[in-house]
């Protein structure tokens, strides 16, 4: 039996997140249907993560293996993306496929994940960013950008991120290690990139809301360690909209 790992990109604007949900359109639903149609039999499709409604992906990963004994994936590895993409809607695409060991797990074998959040920092909205970036409604100066980037450096390290977790979340182990965090310009966008061994529910979106409060002077960069140590959600900023959030990259053990 063969197990295949797919790397997938999708525009999450029209979906209620990745995970299967009863009677709601999700990325997993579309992917499951397309995989089964491409291979001609039922498959187990396991995603690397859950993404919220409206969140996008540049490098989401999902494993695929036959559900029933006797079924075998016979499509050549290099032809699998084409075979599945024919069955997918235009806002989801399999970028590549590779064979992995049968004991590989796309979620438990993750070493790190990278998220990128895109902010359109302009007083004039751009219709082509609708649902694909946060319309901030104001410009971000170089000084403001530096303040945001300085604040982001305080996220790096191993901390309990209770202050950056959605209220009502039932997760008890809130310790995560952030390897890298930075804010930078990319054309007419301001982007926040963060790499960690894992993320809490809404963690990146709350980080972004906090950084935007730093930009407008409501919080100073030096306040971030105190916010983290308080383990109090009310001390951090607002939860930014899902529009600008992208699961960018998954790194696995060798």
């Amino acid at each position: 039996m063969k197990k295949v790992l797919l790397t997938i990109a999708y525009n999450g604007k029209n979906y209620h997140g990745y995970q299967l949900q009863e009677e709601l359109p999700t990325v997993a639903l579309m992917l499951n249907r397309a995989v089964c149609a491409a291979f001609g039999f039922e498959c187990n499709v396991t995603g690397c993560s859950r993404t919220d409604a409206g969140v996008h992906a540049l490098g989401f990963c999902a494993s695929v293996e036959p559900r029933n004994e006797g079924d075998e994936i016979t499509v050549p590895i290099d032809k699998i993306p084409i075979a599945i993409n024919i069955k997918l809607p235009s806002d989801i695409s399999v970028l590549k496929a590779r064979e992995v060991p049968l004991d590989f797990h796309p979620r438990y074998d993750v070493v790190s994940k990278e998220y990128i959040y895109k902010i359109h920092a302009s007083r004039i909205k751009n219709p082509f960013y609708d649902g694909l970036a946060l319309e901030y409604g104001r410009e971000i100066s170089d000084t403001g950008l530096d303040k945001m980037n300085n604040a982001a450096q305080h996220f790096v390290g191993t901390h309990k991120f209770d202050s950056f977790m959605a209220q009502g979340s039932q997760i008890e182990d809130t310790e995560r290690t952030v390897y890298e965090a930075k804010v930078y310009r990319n054309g007419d966008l301001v982007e926040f990139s963060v790499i960690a061994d894992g993320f809490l529910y809404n963690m990146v979106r709350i980080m972004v809301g906090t950084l935007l409060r730093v930009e407008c002077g409501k919080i100073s960069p030096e306040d971030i360690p105190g916010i983290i140590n308080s383990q109090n959600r009310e001390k951090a900023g607002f939860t930014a909209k899902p529009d600008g959030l992208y699961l960018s990259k998954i790194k696995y053990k060798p």
Side-chain angles (χ1 to χ4, degrees):
M1 183 178 289
K2 183 185 296 183
K3 178 181 277 191
V4 173
L5 184 67
L6 306 177
T7 301
I8 305 152
Y10 56 81
N11 178 338
K13 184 177 176 180
N14 296 319
Y15 300 101
H16 290 260
Y18 173 81
Q19 200 71 6
L20 287 170
Q21 299 183 52
E22 190 173 352
E23 297 182 358
L24 290 174
T26 66
V27 176
L29 176 65
M30 300 301 171
L31 185 60
N32 274 265
R33 288 176 176 174
V35 165
C36 294
F39 295 151
F41 47 78
E42 293 295 314
C43 291
N44 292 322
V45 181
T46 306
C48 64
S49 180
R50 298 187 179 195
T51 56
D52 294 341
V55 174
H56 319 290
L58 304 173
F60 190 94
C61 292
S63 66
V64 176
E65 59 186 325
R67 182 171 300 171
N68 300 313
E69 190 175 347
D71 289 331
E72 186 67 40
I73 298 173
T74 58
V75 179
I77 289 292
D78 62 329
K79 298 292 193 297
I80 286 177
I82 298 170
I84 298 176
N85 284 339
I86 292 172
K87 308 295 183 179
L88 282 169
S90 60
D91 50 9
I92 305 173
S93 178
V94 176
L95 305 179
K96 60 183 179 181
R98 63 186 173 102
E99 189 172 352
V100 290
L102 292 177
D103 62 354
F104 173 86
H105 197 286
R107 185 164 70 252
Y108 302 139
D109 289 341
V110 168
V111 172
S112 66
K113 298 178 183 179
E114 178 185 27
Y115 277 93
I116 293 174
Y117 194 96
K118 301 185 179 186
I119 303 163
H120 184 226
S122 173
R123 290 178 294 173
I124 307 299
K125 69 178 182 179
N126 185 329
F128 297 104
Y129 288 144
D130 180 36
L132 300 176
L134 174 68
E135 287 289 356
Y136 189 41
R138 54 180 282 175
E139 297 177 0
I140 294 178
S141 67
D142 289 343
T143 300
L145 189 73
D146 288 342
K147 287 167 58 180
M148 293 173 71
N149 192 47
N150 290 338
Q153 303 317 304
H154 293 294
F155 295 139
V156 177
T158 301
H159 311 286
K160 288 184 176 295
F161 281 98
D162 299 67
S163 299
F164 297 86
M165 178 176 66
Q167 288 181 326
S169 179
Q170 301 300 311
I171 296 174
E172 296 182 0
D173 179 13
T174 60
E175 185 173 283
R176 299 291 185 273
T177 299
V178 173
Y179 302 116
E180 181 180 301
K182 58 185 178 181
V183 182
Y184 53 91
R185 291 194 194 278
N186 184 6
D188 59 350
L189 297 173
V190 168
E191 297 185 356
F192 169 56
S193 167
V194 57
I195 302 173
D197 61 356
F199 294 88
L200 302 170
Y201 185 49
N202 283 353
M203 180 171 160
V204 179
R205 291 165 60 188
I206 297 169
M207 284 177 163
V208 171
T210 304
L211 292 176
L212 289 175
R213 290 192 68 190
V214 169
E215 188 276 330
C216 65
K218 301 290 181 63
I219 297 174
S220 75
E222 292 72 28
D223 291 334
I224 301 299
I227 294 172
I228 293 173
N229 292 332
S230 73
Q231 298 180 35
N232 183 347
R233 172 66 188 91
E234 294 182 1
K235 298 291 185 180
F238 63 94
T239 303
K241 295 171 64 176
D243 304 31
L245 185 59
Y246 294 73
L247 176 56
S248 175
K249 189 181 300 181
I250 302 293
K251 181 179 180 181
Y252 287 108
K253 300 173 186 177

